Amino acid sequence: MNEKYSISPDGEKFPLPTKEDYETELENLSKLIKKEQAKGREIVVVVGIGFVGAVMAGVVADSTDKTGKPTKFVIGMQRPSVRSFWKIKLLNRGLSPVKAEDPEVDIIINRCVLEKKNLIATFNEDVLKFADVVVVDVQCDYLKESLGDLSTGGVDMAALEKSFYTIAERIPAEALVLIETTVAPGTTEQIAYPIMKKVFERRKIKKDPLLAHSYERVMPGRNYVASIRDFWRVCSGINEKSKKRVVKFLSAVLNTKDYPLTVLDRPIESETAKIVENSYRATILAFLDEWSLFAERNGVDLTKVIKAIKVRPTHSNIIFPGPGIGGYCLPKDGGLGMWAYKHILGWEDNIFKITPVAININDTRGLHVAQLTRDALRNMGLSVASAEILILGASYREDVGDTRYSGSEIIVRRLTEMGSEIRVHDPYVQHWWEFEVQDSYPSTGYSLSRFFRNQEKLKNMCINQNLNEVLKGADAVIFAVRHKQYLNLNPDDVVKKIGKPAAIIDCFGILDDEKIRRYFELGCEVKGLGRGHVNRIKKSVAKAKEKKK
Ligand SMILES: NC(=O)c1ccc[n+]([C@@H]2O[C@H](COP(=O)([O-])OP(=O)(O)OC[C@H]3O[C@@H](n4cnc5c(N)ncnc54)[C@H](O)[C@@H]3O)[C@@H](O)[C@H]2O)c1
């Protein structure tokens, strides 16, 4: 990516807006908004059209009143950064800026932009002047300073704090500001409110800003839209008026009839609920890491153990951890809580024991995949240092194109450090920015590359979307993500396409015993996270071969 252009995942180049573009944009938008206001429509500005904001904007625009008419005109306001400006251009063509398996994402965005014509996107912050409701969906990062030690990091509030100023400087006094960003507990009352109050005073507005918090539980994937619209929400406001306004707004745009709202007394409670919810999930995933190793070393298949336990209703949410617990949220949210305890809420002691350990375990789980790959190759008489290794899946979970903090990134980095040549296939990911622009992504100085050596060449690593082509000649194939496309791959086909037996590494319980057996019969070596029973299958295949002789 260069300075002047923003490049979409398809490779289309969009020049960044000039000063004149800002003026023209505002002129056109003002006219459009006035027409919409005349129709009695509420103006909703969604700040940040990323994975959450783009789909939330679609859901709000697609909502209707009892007679089936849309009551909102929605404007996605996105900063025109090199990394994100293209999102505005795509959305305005009726195309979703996020790729997902859920067809409803594209349908809703297309319908609202092109048919209903009540959804647009802009880079001009001055549209905030017209807002009745502002929904904040920008990021709030936790920047880690070491690999596997959460305690050395801190929260990067810059983008979020900047957006509080930007909003307060422009909105009408009566506009509701709904913070959906996952924030450090205390942010709404102790950071957003004072900033907005001061700016309001400067603007001679005597009223209190109307601030509310309601966190997103969105799950990008097959139920992307439903996870926003048809799902339970928790919310709160800084005062009674804000609380009433947020309940009214969410009830109008979400399916709160079937999924009632939980209204908490104060924003810090709603903010804490989000952090605890995600820290809990990070913890139950991390908990199985040690049992995964136990299973590998003692002939146990963890996937079957989990299946057996899940039958008990009290334990139905036990989950098999893949090669890393990525996604944007689980690796950082516990950190936001720990940081807030000290830096917003002012406590000196360290009460957090389980949450940081869980995140540290999750952040480093991928390293073990490199060990398994090394061992499988060695058993085949090959060295990891000169092997061609194919990673199937770059994203952090199945059937999505989001690569943030995916376990696959750690696998690629460690194996590269160990000397392997890496190829990657992922049907949902065109550009793996974590590598392509590792000098500046996720931000300058914060690439995971800094924790590994020999990472320079990874800038040139391209994702190949042709599975047949990418399999050819691979020494090892790592099943890293449970993408639909990988679940039913037939071992005979795979080995035929590779052209020889290879090391097969299963990170996600993708291979059943029949497939594992077949890979061994075809001369492959198989290893998997938590799959200690593979050795038994290997021995029985060897025995059967022996008998045949
Ligand atoms: N992705 C998920 O699955 C998920 C789930 C639940 C909650 N969340 C939370 O939702 C929030 C947003 O996450 P996301 O995944 O959509 O992040 P994202 O990085 O995909 O999107 C954020 C967008 O905001 C834009 N932005 C930043 N500052 C801006 C500003 N001042 N003005 C306008 N635009 C600005 C960025 O350019 C980006 O496009 C985070 O707090 C996240 O923790 C995410």
Side-chain angles (χ1 to χ4, degrees), residues 43-69:
I43 307 301
V44 179
V45 178
V46 177
V47 182
I49 51 169
F51 285 95
V52 176
V55 187
M56 177 65 184
V59 166
V60 176
D62 205 43
S63 66
T64 59
D65 62 11
K66 281 184 192 134
T67 67
K69 285 201 193 109

Side-chain angles (χ1 to χ4, degrees), residues 47-53 77-79 81 84 87 137-140 159 163 180-182 216-218 220 274 328-329 332-333 396 402 404:
V47 182
I49 51 169
F51 285 95
V52 176
M77 203 281 283
Q78 167 63 50
R79 65 179 174 193
S81 59
S84 293
K87 297 177 189 170
D137 277 326
V138 307
Q139 71 274 35
C140 175
S163 57
E180 289 199 337
T181 299
T182 305
E216 278 290 354
R217 285 169 162 157
V218 58
K274 173 67 182 181
Y328 182 46
C329 299
K332 74 170 168 60
D333 287 358
Y396 82 94
D402 187 351
R404 289 180 290 179

Side-chain angles (χ1 to χ4, degrees), residues 295-328:
E296 281 168 36
R297 292 173 186 175
N298 296 287
V300 173
D301 182 4
L302 189 68
T303 65
K304 295 193 196 97
V305 168
I306 288 177
K307 225 172 166 182
I309 296 171
K310 264 170 129 59
V311 174
R312 183 178 164 174
T314 51
H315 288 49
S316 60
N317 68 353
I318 188 166
I319 358 173
F320 184 91
I325 314 305
Y328 182 46

Side-chain angles (χ1 to χ4, degrees), residues 99 393 425-429 463-465 483 485-486:
K99 269 193 175 289
H425 174 273
D426 193 303
Y428 302 95
V429 180
I463 299 238
N464 189 329
Q465 294 195 313
H483 286 324
Q485 197 181 351
Y486 306 146

